[in-house]
Amino acid sequence: MESSENSSSDAAEQEVGMHRWLALELAGTIRHDGNGGVADELSTPAQLSAWIQAQQAEHTLPELRHADTPFAVDEYARNAVVSVRTAVRALLARAVAPAAPSRADADRLPKAADALDHLNLVAARVPATLSLHWPTDPGHAPTTRFTEAATTDPLDRLTSILAREAMLFLADEDSRRLAACSAPRCVRYFLKEHGRQEYCKPSCSNRARVARHYQRRQEAATSELETGSAGEVDAAGSVGAMGAAGSAGQSVAEQGKP
């Protein structure tokens, strides 16, 4: 499994100075584990709690409280958030079509229509108004956000925010730049900086180049083996043909004897 340092390295290599879409942050909790498999960063309530705190620190999520009581994350809450993430990833897969979606879960995602219905249902649970947010921290640009009543159940508030933020992203021009990284093992969705970009990070580009080089060497080695085998077969066939011709000549000569 990858260490937390590697996970932090992935975050450091993301686009600098670009809008941090909460929908992509949520979808990005599914990532490669560094060993050819897939890791889920929301596999436990504790991980979900840590992710919420990280998003709040980046001002992509508001404080989630109810009557001055902190939001307690449990397995029920985790399942609710994961169901929203599944719907989001299904719609991201639709957004990148006809290009290939992320390999992490493409074979088990719900239909896009069902995912859309789920997001709309979750978002409708909590009435909200659209507001403008502009953190005072340097480097943060103004963003729009749906604001729900503070008295709303924290879990309903959280899932409705996630659903609405996914809607905002999918309806934004940025979604036209969405792509699934095609590097070996990578399962991320990312925003392309130019039309021909295939990989989400420089490390993925390097890994893809190494993989192509390895594949070319393997193909060359296989071709040499096949060529050598074919040569041996041809040589054996020539020897056999010469032997047959010699035997035939000897038989004719014997038949010509008195």
Side-chain angles (χ1 to χ4, degrees), residues 75-233:
E75 186 64 17
Y76 180 81
R78 189 192 74 83
N79 287 332
V81 171
V82 167
S83 71
V84 174
R85 180 184 65 184
T86 300
V88 170
R89 288 184 64 87
L91 294 178
L92 296 185
R94 176 184 177 182
V96 302
S102 168
R103 294 181 290 268
D105 48 10
D107 59 340
R108 58 182 182 277
L109 290 173
K111 294 180 180 179
D114 294 336
L116 190 61
D117 288 344
H118 184 66
L119 285 190
N120 286 331
L121 178 64
V122 171
R125 290 174 184 165
V126 180
T129 58
L130 190 64
S131 58
L132 180 68
H133 288 257
W134 198 344
T136 57
D137 301 3
H140 286 280
T143 59
T144 55
R145 177 184 296 166
F146 286 104
T147 302
E148 300 79 8
T151 55
T152 302
D153 175 75
L155 178 57
D156 284 345
R157 189 179 180 204
L158 171 62
T159 53
S160 68
I161 289 172
L162 296 177
R164 289 191 177 100
E165 289 293 327
M167 295 173 185
L168 287 175
F169 169 71
L170 290 166
D172 191 90
E173 289 185 359
D174 268 2
S175 66
R176 312 299 184 268
R177 300 190 290 118
L178 184 69
C181 184
S182 59
R185 301 199 308 272
C186 189
V187 296
R188 286 180 180 273
Y189 285 104
F190 71 102
L191 297 181
K192 295 189 289 186
E193 295 180 353
H194 54 81
R196 299 181 62 184
Q197 184 178 351
E198 297 181 50
Y199 312 111
C200 63
K201 306 185 298 293
S203 58
C204 281
S205 178
N206 292 337
R207 189 164 62 249
R209 184 170 60 252
V210 170
R212 288 195 300 270
H213 177 69
Y214 176 79
Q215 183 177 4
R216 285 195 297 267
R217 290 187 61 181
Q218 290 293 100
E219 290 174 351
T222 301
S223 178
E224 289 179 2
L225 286 175
E226 291 175 348
T227 302
S229 298
E232 292 176 1
V233 170

